[in-house]
Amino acid sequence: MRVQSLTLVAASAALLAPSTFPDAPPAPLPDPARILLSGTPDRAVPLRADRSGVRVGPLPHGPAAWPAPSSRPAPSSRARPDAGTGARGERTGGDRPVRAAELLARVRDCDPVSRGRYRSDAGAPADIPVCGARDAVYWKADLDVDCDGRPGDRCNGRTDPHFTPATAYTESDGRPLDAERLPYVVVPGPSDTWDPGEDDIRGGSLAALVHGDRVRYAVVGDVGPTDLIGEASYAAARSLGIPADPAGGGVASDVTYIVFKDTEVRPIEDTAAAGKAGERLARKFVDGG
């Protein structure tokens, strides 16, 4: 179930003002009965009524519309040796966590990388572009709670009427991700509107989530419908102070998603590594490095 629209707070209204984001044609609507991935048999997959679109199970190994996990080392969680001090040893911004206001200021303007716009809900206007910078892509939307993956006390077929025991990406042991414990974000499936792979976004890519004055770090862990955007795991919602009930939680607006290009946390379930590397990348991003 989707939450109803809420009034935007003054701080986010400026971020979402139409004058900030250039006009773009509406996102094309996909066939709601199936999604096709390159290298995958033509197959129907279950609908999720709350998202009005298909959910994708584990992505196949081998050629696919999304890049397979790379053999590059995972992003280092260590800061640069000179981070945190200036030329004379004075303290700098590298010593303190990146603040929400810093990230929001950095993504105030939008240079669209999507060729159209996304909907937050079925039937909602297609008015959400994916924007791009040199090192990241970002969008501002609602947050729907994704409880898919490994069943647990909070995420299962009883608590979530649309529960699916699979995620597009899996843990290092091959099991589905654990939405109750792993903060992850959901990205739209590749389409004519936008193909995340073209911007070096893949499973395990690092993301920063901003809501109110909170900044939390996550990984890309699941793939959603090709026409909707604005979804994250149960654990991600809780970390942001957002109601995480899969049947009626989430928030209707004021969540900023920033996904860093060409990054990957391995193993994907290493939340400590994601937090450390995410903080380092966020600092570099806001400093324009």
Side-chain angles (χ1 to χ4, degrees), residues 106 132-137 201 259-263 284-285 288-289:
R106 183 69 174 80
R134 186 184 67 180
D135 297 322
V137 296
I201 306 300
V259 185
F260 299 105
K261 298 178 181 179
D262 199 21
T263 60
K284 181 180 179 182
F285 183 61

Side-chain angles (χ1 to χ4, degrees), residues 88-173:
R88 299 182 180 180
E90 66 271 17
R91 309 283 283 186
T92 68
D95 276 10
R96 58 173 174 75
V98 175
R99 293 179 292 120
E102 294 178 279
L103 283 168
L104 294 178
R106 183 69 174 80
V107 299
R108 180 175 292 117
D109 299 321
C110 179
D111 181 12
V113 295
S114 59
R115 290 173 284 274
R117 297 191 179 199
Y118 289 93
R119 306 173 192 276
S120 60
D121 301 288
D127 57 2
I128 304 172
V130 175
C131 312
R134 186 184 67 180
D135 297 322
V137 296
Y138 53 93
W139 57 92
K140 300 163 187 178
D142 63 342
L143 188 150
D144 295 305
V145 178
D146 185 350
C147 237
D148 292 344
R150 195 185 314 169
D153 293 337
R154 306 294 182 183
C155 293
N156 54 64
R158 297 184 306 276
T159 62
D160 182 356
H162 310 291
F163 177 77
T164 301
T167 49
Y169 298 99
T170 59
E171 294 187 356
S172 53
D173 60 5

